[in-house]
Amino acid sequence: MEITQDKHSANQALIKIKLNEADYQPKVDAKLKDFAKKSNIKGFRPGKAPMSMVKGMYGTSVLVEEINSILSESLNTYLKEQTFKILGDPLPQDQGAIDWKTQKDFEFDYKIGFVENVDLTLDPKIKATKYSIKVDDKLVNETLDNLKSQYGNSTNPEVSEEGDHIYGDLKAAEGSFEKTVSLDLTKITKKLAGKFVGLGKEAVVEFEAKDVKKGQWEEAFGLSEEESADLDGTFTLTVKNINRKETAEMNQEFFDKIFGPDQVSTEEEFITKVRETLQANYDKESKVFTEEELKKVLTDAAKVDLPETFLKEWLMIANEGKVTAEDIEKEFPIYAKQLTWSLISNEIATKNEVKAEHEEVIEKTKQMVREQFAASGLGAQMEDSMDMFVDNYLKGEEGQNYMNMLTSIQNEKVLAFALDKISVKEKDITIDEFKELLDK
């Protein structure tokens, strides 16, 4: 057997495997002998059929099977011995017609994509920013207003005011369009909303479609994109009912609705807990954002050269016709970023012996399950069954949930390790500044 490598570029190559009769024939003969011993061919006693007949019946299929086995084993062994990192799977190339009956020597080609190395030195020359979102009074007050509005009692006043929901029949002056809607006055322009203020039941409001801005047919009137696609001209809305959400009072009933029975008992305690809850949530968001920004910094510093042409071809074949070339071109940048980070993360973890432990997987899964139950109000009473929930989750998706959790923990530990080695500037930002960063 002869295996050679022909590099086409810095990250793509062709692997050639040449087989001669001595490489495969002994295995083929041994398997055919085993077939002959076990064969039950009509006209012969069991295991007594002539070898020539057994070869005629099974020779070609055994030959193909053994050669494929040799190719797979030898290719895998060869690639494991290389210093570069293989990406995707080797792609067998078209060999043309093979005469399995008479051909003795065979040559098979496989296209591979790889990266030679992932060279990244973690030192203070690499600079990153650690963001911390600070909850200010403005955000707390906005949250309080939203909560009081959300948990207030609903009423049906006789006359409409700003901020109400108008329930009524929407109809086009021309054409057949007609639908009963609930119009949210806070989601249309102030000018248009003014037409719906001071009205009682059965009042009819006439307005032009051009006064409804982009997206407001869906957000304010509750229409689907298909329904709103071609709306034009004059419309009327006949008021059938007025819905208003009164602002909730800051009392014990309100406190209990938000945080559960007897968690807070005064307005001051309530506001403090709202602030703490907001801060905890934004701490999580700022941590995730910082980690994503750090990934970008480390990815740029590593300068990993991916074999893009090979990977696109491999993705097309691996997805077995489920995606088009256009789909792959569109999604490839995201895939490339994820793959690059995976290579960098694994390299840092291997060099520095950073790894996730089984106990950490269990604890992180427990934390996830607790948060899910807490959100549904079932936290405390589910603690006794926690081990069962964790076990069921980690066994899910044929064990893939466990591997995903393991990878997640390793990534967190790699990022924490990297932050400790590079130069990090801490920066406090407001929620508005955070939103601006997200929009970039």
Side-chain angles (χ1 to χ4, degrees):
M1 183 192 307
E2 180 184 353
I3 303 180
T4 58
Q5 180 189 143
D6 179 16
K7 276 193 176 182
H8 289 174
S9 64
N11 49 28
Q12 290 187 184
L14 199 66
I15 305 297
K16 294 180 177 291
I17 302 179
K18 294 181 179 179
L19 300 178
N20 57 42
E21 195 170 10
D23 296 318
Y24 59 82
Q25 196 59 51
K27 293 184 178 181
V28 172
D29 290 342
K31 198 158 193 176
L32 287 174
K33 285 180 182 179
D34 188 53
F35 270 42
K37 290 177 183 178
K38 298 176 181 178
S39 63
N40 190 359
I41 299 175
K42 189 176 180 179
F44 299 91
R45 285 180 296 160
K48 296 299 182 179
M51 179 58 70
S52 59
M53 181 175 290
V54 174
K55 283 185 178 181
M57 295 177 67
Y58 303 110
T60 300
S61 61
V62 170
L63 175 63
V64 173
E65 183 180 334
E66 287 303 316
I67 285 183
N68 281 334
S69 176
I70 292 170
L71 288 171
S72 177
E73 183 178 342
S74 57
L75 181 61
N76 287 336
T77 300
Y78 175 81
L79 293 177
K80 286 178 182 177
E81 293 170 350
Q82 306 309 305
T83 57
F84 49 66
K85 301 179 187 298
I86 292 292
L87 303 180
D89 298 308
L91 297 179
Q93 303 300 288
D94 185 12
Q95 305 302 137
I98 297 177
D99 186 349
W100 296 103
K101 295 289 186 182
T102 62
Q103 197 168 324
K104 302 298 182 184
D105 297 331
F106 301 90
E107 181 176 315
F108 300 90
D109 296 342
Y110 297 87
K111 188 187 292 185
I112 62 169
F114 56 90
V115 292
E116 284 284 2
N117 53 60
V118 179
D119 188 13
L120 178 63
T121 301
L122 295 175
D123 58 34
K125 292 179 182 178
I126 301 176
K127 302 182 186 300
T129 302
K130 185 177 182 180
Y131 295 93
S132 180
I133 304 169
K134 294 303 178 186
V135 173
D136 54 20
D137 291 340
K138 177 188 173 185
L139 180 59
V140 172
N141 291 331
E142 287 176 351
T143 303
L144 290 173
D145 289 342
N146 289 335
L147 289 172
K148 287 189 287 186
S149 174
Q150 182 180 351
Y151 286 88
N153 293 322
S154 294
T155 62
N156 300 113
E158 294 297 322
V159 179
S160 62
E161 295 180 359
E162 289 183 10
D164 287 343
H165 281 69
I166 307 297
Y167 181 80
D169 297 330
L170 178 67
K171 186 175 182 180
E174 296 183 4
S176 59
F177 181 85
E178 187 172 356
K179 186 173 183 179
T180 300
V181 300
S182 179
L183 169 60
D184 183 349
L185 296 185
T186 66
K187 294 183 178 179
I188 55 177
T189 64
K190 287 186 177 181
K191 182 179 179 181
L192 181 56
K195 292 189 174 188
F196 294 90
V197 173
L199 304 179
K201 293 181 181 179
E202 301 305 328
V204 178
V205 178
E206 185 177 287
F207 62 96
E208 299 297 321
K210 65 182 180 181
D211 295 331
V212 181
K213 304 304 179 185
K214 184 178 180 181
Q216 291 180 355
W217 283 119
E218 295 85 6
E219 293 178 11
F221 289 84
L223 304 185
S224 67
E225 290 184 5
E226 291 76 14
E227 288 172 327
S228 62
D230 300 315
L231 296 184
D232 196 15
T234 303
F235 284 80
T236 60
L237 193 150
T238 303
V239 179
K240 295 300 180 183
N241 204 353
I242 301 164
N243 299 321
R244 181 177 302 161
K245 206 66 171 284
E246 293 183 341
T247 301
E249 294 183 19
M250 296 275 274
N251 54 28
Q252 193 61 49
E253 180 184 2
F254 176 64
F255 302 155
D256 291 347
K257 282 181 180 178
I258 306 301
F259 292 118
D262 304 320
Q263 294 298 304
V264 295
S265 56
T266 67
E267 184 172 327
E268 183 179 358
E269 289 178 356
F270 179 77
I271 294 173
T272 299
K273 194 164 182 66
V274 166
R275 185 184 294 274
E276 291 173 349
T277 303
L278 286 170
Q279 190 63 65
N281 290 336
Y282 282 118
D283 283 347
K284 291 179 183 178
E285 289 201 36
S286 57
K287 179 178 180 290
V288 170
F289 183 76
T290 294
E291 290 177 347
E292 290 303 314
E293 291 299 297
L294 178 57
K295 287 179 185 179
K296 294 177 185 177
V297 169
L298 296 178
T299 298
D300 291 340
K303 294 182 172 60
V304 177
D305 185 18
L306 295 179
E308 292 192 8
T309 302
F310 169 84
L311 287 172
K312 289 174 182 177
E313 181 181 354
W314 172 72
L315 286 169
M316 179 70 78
I317 294 172
N319 282 283
E320 299 177 335
K322 296 176 183 176
V323 297
T324 65
E326 290 76 15
D327 293 332
I328 290 175
E329 284 294 334
K330 181 180 178 181
E331 300 297 330
F332 188 79
I334 297 173
Y335 169 80
K337 288 178 182 178
Q338 293 172 340
L339 176 59
T340 301
W341 169 246
S342 177
L343 291 168
I344 293 170
S345 178
N346 289 336
E347 184 70 12
I348 294 173
T350 301
K351 278 188 176 180
N352 301 283
E353 297 183 351
V354 178
K355 60 181 180 179
E357 304 293 347
H358 174 73
E359 294 76 15
E360 293 172 315
V361 173
I362 299 299
E363 190 53 44
K364 186 176 176 66
T365 307
K366 285 183 178 180
Q367 180 184 341
M368 179 192 73
V369 173
R370 285 191 185 105
E371 289 176 355
Q372 290 176 344
F373 283 138
S376 61
L378 300 172
Q381 55 266 48
M382 291 298 178
E383 198 65 32
D384 291 342
S385 304
M386 180 60 68
D387 290 342
M388 179 190 71
F389 286 117
V390 169
D391 187 59
N392 287 341
Y393 175 78
L394 293 177
K395 288 179 179 177
E397 301 295 328
E398 298 182 346
Q400 189 59 45
N401 286 347
Y402 184 93
M403 295 308 300
N404 290 342
M405 192 65 74
L406 194 73
T407 301
S408 173
I409 293 170
Q410 179 172 300
N411 270 329
E412 289 179 2
K413 297 180 80 168
V414 164
L415 289 167
F417 179 86
L419 280 171
D420 192 49
K421 299 294 182 182
I422 66 176
S423 177
V424 180
K425 178 180 71 174
E426 297 197 6
K427 185 175 182 180
D428 292 343
I429 57 175
T430 66
I431 184 59
D432 290 335
E433 290 171 329
F434 177 63
K435 290 177 180 177
E436 289 178 9
L437 287 173
L438 292 178
D439 290 336
K440 285 184 178 179

